[in-house]
């Protein structure tokens, strides 16, 4: 009797232990501050996964580049030091041009076009990540990119020699093409760089201008709406495959929801961010025709370079984007 009871107790303890060990804990490094809309979306995603799996998969979001620096996150996920992570795709242009398709000025410069570009880019992106031992969970666009400058500008000639903060190879290339002096600084270090005068201008969204309190140092934002780069949330393939099927499904479902929610919030907050900048004393300029033309020329050079480096597969992607873009425009002729 006693032996049997202790056997039963033993079994119960074992069941408990295996329930506890069935809980999986993941780290998810990201590079932007907790109040940024991407980070808020990530935290919501993690909470949704927790709920849908009954606490079986716990994802801890580490914002603000606190666990890994922005450009180290991808390698950390690839190597399994972090099971998942959020990256700025355009940062990895030098590994493969596919990553940088959304960083070309004026290729896709509205939310509608950015979404079309994403749909075209996504299968290639996921394939590429899979070949590196990862998977794409979701991706969300930043608001359109404009120019922060201390001085007033009417054309790119006015930016010659200016100290320009770049966040990606493409934004460094823009500096090169317009004769500015690029220095690569990730968002987490931008406030500091502005304070010390390391940079006096850069291109980014209203979101990053707001997050970094750029308005304390720079008074002009030119709303050029040049492109919408994306953050992508990626997962280590082995970590994903080690989950049971219901947990995998719950993760993918929450990711699809985070994708849709993120794009919606990005678009909704775009105007809000610019209003905040204005409220903090910045002037939001509509770029003059010359400045826009100059930047479009920069974009055309960069697209030609991109197509050259991406080869026929890349050219096919651009072609299918343009086709889908034209089809969407034909369906919505009422819009300008
Ligand atoms: N903010 C990020 C990338 C694009 C954006 O809008 C940054 O400036 O680092």
């Amino acid at each position: 009797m006693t032996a049997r009871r202790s056997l039963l107790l033993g079994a119960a303890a074992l069941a408990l232990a295996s329930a506890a060990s069935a809980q999986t804990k993941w780290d998810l490094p990201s590079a932007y501050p907790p109040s940024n809309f991407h980070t808020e979306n990530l935290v919501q995603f993690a909470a949704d996964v927790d709920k849908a799996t009954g606490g079986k998969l716990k994802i801890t979001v580490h914002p603000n580049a606190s666990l890994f620096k922005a450009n180290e996150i991808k390698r950390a996920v690839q190597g399994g030091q972090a099971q998942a992570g959020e990256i700025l795709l355009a940062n990895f242009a030098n590994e493969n041009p596919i990553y940088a398709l959304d960083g070309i000025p004026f290729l896709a410069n509205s939310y509608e076009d950015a979404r079309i570009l994403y749909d075209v880019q996504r299968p290639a992106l996921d394939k590429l990540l899979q070949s590196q031992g990862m998977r794409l969970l979701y991706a969300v666009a930043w608001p359109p990119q404009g120019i922060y400058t201390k001085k007033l500008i009417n054309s790119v000639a006015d930016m010659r020699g200016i100290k320009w903060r770049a966040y990606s190879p493409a934004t460094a290339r823009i500096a090169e093409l317009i004769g500015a002096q690029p220095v690569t600084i990730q968002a987490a270090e931008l406030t500091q760089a502005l304070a010390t005068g390391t940079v006096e201008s850069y291109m980014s969204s209203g979101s990053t201008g707001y997050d970094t309190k750029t308005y304390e140092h720079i008074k002009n934002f030119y709303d050029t709406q040049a492109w919408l780069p994306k953050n992508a949330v990626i997962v280590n393939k082995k970590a994903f495959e080690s989950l049971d099927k219901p947990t995998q499904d719950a993760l993918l479902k929450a990711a699809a929801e985070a994708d849709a929610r993120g794009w919606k919030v990005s678009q909704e907050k775009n105007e809000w961010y610019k209003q905040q900048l204005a409220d903090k004393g910045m002037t939001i300029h509509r770029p003059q025709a010359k400045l826009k033309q100059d930047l479009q020329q920069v974009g055309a050079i960069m697209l030609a370079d991109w197509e050259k480096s991406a080869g026929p597969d890349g050219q096919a992607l651009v072609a299918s984007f343009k086709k889908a873009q034209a089809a969407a425009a034909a369906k919505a002729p009422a819009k300008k």
Side-chain angles (χ1 to χ4, degrees):
M1 189 71 174
T2 356
R4 194 163 158 222
R5 171 170 281 175
S6 79
L7 216 131
L8 277 173
L9 277 174
L14 221 124
L16 260 178
S18 76
S21 73
Q23 185 185 81
T24 304
K25 290 189 173 176
W26 280 7
D27 287 313
L28 195 160
S30 87
Y32 306 97
S35 60
N36 179 272
F37 74 95
H38 285 293
T39 318
E40 288 178 347
N41 195 32
L42 263 178
V43 169
Q44 175 76 52
F45 163 68
D48 289 350
V49 170
D50 189 333
K51 201 164 154 215
T53 63
K56 264 173 91 179
L57 179 55
K58 296 258 180 213
I59 301 176
T60 306
V61 177
H62 302 270
N64 230 1
S66 56
L67 199 59
F68 293 99
K69 289 193 172 149
N71 42 12
E72 293 170 353
I73 294 174
K74 181 165 172 285
R75 188 176 293 274
V77 175
Q78 188 169 10
Q81 289 95 332
Q83 293 77 13
E86 185 186 50
I87 60 169
L88 179 76
L89 290 168
N91 263 345
F92 303 95
N94 295 338
E95 281 184 27
N96 192 305
I98 294 294
Y99 287 127
L101 183 57
D102 62 20
I104 301 166
F106 299 105
L107 177 62
N109 64 330
S110 64
Y111 276 95
E112 293 74 24
D113 284 357
R115 186 73 218 191
I116 294 170
L117 187 68
Y118 176 35
D119 290 342
V120 165
Q121 184 191 18
R122 186 173 176 137
L125 210 50
D126 194 36
K127 195 171 153 210
L128 176 57
L129 284 164
Q130 297 240 15
S131 75
Q132 297 183 321
M134 292 168 282
R135 284 180 64 129
L136 178 65
L137 286 177
Y138 70 86
V140 169
W142 285 91
Q145 309 287 289
I147 306 174
Y148 291 93
T149 54
K150 290 206 171 177
K151 59 177 195 175
L152 297 172
I153 52 170
N154 294 316
S155 67
V156 301
D158 293 336
M159 289 187 276
R160 222 160 269 155
I162 216 166
K163 285 188 269 179
W164 172 276
R165 173 255 176 174
Y167 63 74
S168 63
T171 47
R173 176 76 178 131
I174 293 174
E176 219 176 87
L177 288 168
I178 67 176
Q181 295 178 45
V183 37
T184 298
I185 295 165
Q186 291 308 326
E189 275 97 44
L190 183 52
T191 305
Q192 172 80 0
L194 288 164
T196 57
T198 313
V199 298
E200 52 189 348
S201 71
Y202 68 95
M203 260 183 115
S204 186
S205 57
S207 173
T208 291
Y210 177 73
D211 287 348
T212 57
K213 295 191 165 63
T214 292
Y215 45 80
E216 290 181 356
H217 307 279
I218 292 180
K219 296 298 174 204
N220 301 293
F221 181 69
Y222 288 83
D223 191 11
T224 54
Q225 304 181 13
W227 73 95
L228 293 84
K230 291 186 293 296
N231 274 2
V233 177
I234 56 175
V235 62
N236 178 285
K237 214 166 147 188
K238 282 204 191 107
F240 179 82
E241 281 161 7
S242 70
L243 301 171
D244 60 30
K245 182 74 168 66
T247 307
Q248 287 182 351
D249 290 346
L251 184 74
L252 295 179
K253 182 166 175 279
E257 287 163 8
D259 194 294
R261 184 175 58 233
W263 280 79
K264 193 161 166 270
V265 173
S266 177
Q267 186 160 13
E268 283 167 4
K269 278 195 97 173
N270 179 26
E271 293 306 319
W272 183 87
Y273 279 126
K274 286 188 278 183
Q275 188 56 49
Q276 297 306 304
L277 297 180
D279 290 351
K280 303 278 187 193
M282 288 191 78
T283 307
I284 312 298
H285 303 269
R286 284 186 61 171
Q288 299 208 347
K290 174 77 173 101
L291 177 61
K292 225 169 163 178
Q293 273 163 23
D294 288 353
L295 288 171
Q296 274 162 349
Q297 228 171 48
V298 166
I301 295 171
M302 288 174 62
L303 179 59
D305 287 351
W306 187 89
E307 289 197 292
K308 212 183 280 165
S309 68
D313 287 353
Q315 287 158 22
L317 280 186
V318 172
S320 35
F321 162 67
K322 289 194 170 160
K323 207 173 141 201
Q325 183 189 37
K331 259 202 238 153
K335 273 173 79 193
K336 182 208 89 139

